[in-house]
Amino acid sequence: LAETLCAACIEAPFYCDQSVYIVLPRPEQPWPLGALLACTSSRVVATLLRARYQEDDRLFPQLKLAELRTLPLPPVDPGGDAVRALAADAHALQALEARRGGLLANSLERDGARARRRALRAGWPDPQDWAARALGREIDGLRSQIEAAVARLYDVEGLV
């Protein structure tokens, strides 16, 4: 397995390849989707899976759905403040990553094309590059914050 699993919460219908698991939470489960997303995407869970299933195939790493189903959720109240904050952070991270995926660059090109050309002629760094770097720093910071929150929920701070 990689350092983490790649998980996303997608609410719109879409088609996907066979190598993607689609997990639908049970209606009665009390955990917010964002919190489940954060836990599933964390280094804590990836480390647990590697230790439990000894999956270390770097060329073709595999995770079976039955293994994914055995993941323990943190032993905390799913309606608590920490879980709600984690869910909000996970949704915010997903929105930032979507912006980095092209939306920000497209809007800067459309809305700021004139200012960008002027800055480049003056020899200044590309404003799009500034925005991309700032967004990258924001994403990295939020990702670190989420990792720390997940480690606190699983009570493994400093171990992963």
Side-chain angles (χ1 to χ4, degrees):
L1 294 171
E3 184 178 327
T4 65
L5 299 176
C6 180
C9 180
I10 302 172
E11 296 178 6
F14 68 97
Y15 294 99
C16 67
D17 169 297
Q18 294 175 348
S19 64
V20 175
Y21 288 127
I22 298 175
V23 179
L24 300 172
R26 293 187 175 111
E28 70 276 4
Q29 73 83 22
W31 284 80
L33 289 179
L36 292 174
L37 174 68
C39 290
T40 304
S41 301
S42 71
R43 288 191 312 261
V44 170
V45 165
T47 301
L48 173 66
L49 286 170
R50 271 193 302 279
R52 185 180 282 179
Y53 298 107
Q54 310 213 342
E55 177 60 52
D56 197 26
D57 184 348
R58 303 235 186 255
L59 187 56
F60 296 108
Q62 296 180 20
L63 175 66
K64 294 164 187 69
L65 194 52
E67 295 166 351
L68 190 58
R69 285 187 179 129
T70 67
L71 286 177
L73 291 171
V76 296
D77 174 18
D81 291 341
V83 173
R84 283 198 308 272
L86 179 62
D89 285 348
H91 287 298
L93 178 62
Q94 192 166 340
L96 288 173
E97 287 177 337
R99 280 179 50 203
R100 181 170 62 180
L103 298 177
L104 178 65
N106 289 340
S107 68
L108 282 173
E109 185 62 38
R110 184 178 59 249
D111 299 335
R114 191 166 153 194
R116 180 173 181 247
R117 283 192 302 272
R118 216 175 336 174
L120 291 174
R121 276 196 306 268
W124 294 352
D126 187 344
Q128 282 186 326
D129 189 41
W130 288 350
R133 286 182 186 178
L135 185 58
R137 284 191 299 275
E138 190 175 354
I139 287 171
D140 291 344
L142 189 52
R143 189 173 285 134
S144 295
Q145 181 178 318
I146 289 170
E147 284 289 346
V150 170
R152 278 192 303 278
L153 290 180
Y154 278 97
D155 197 22
V156 293
E157 285 179 282
L159 297 178
V160 178

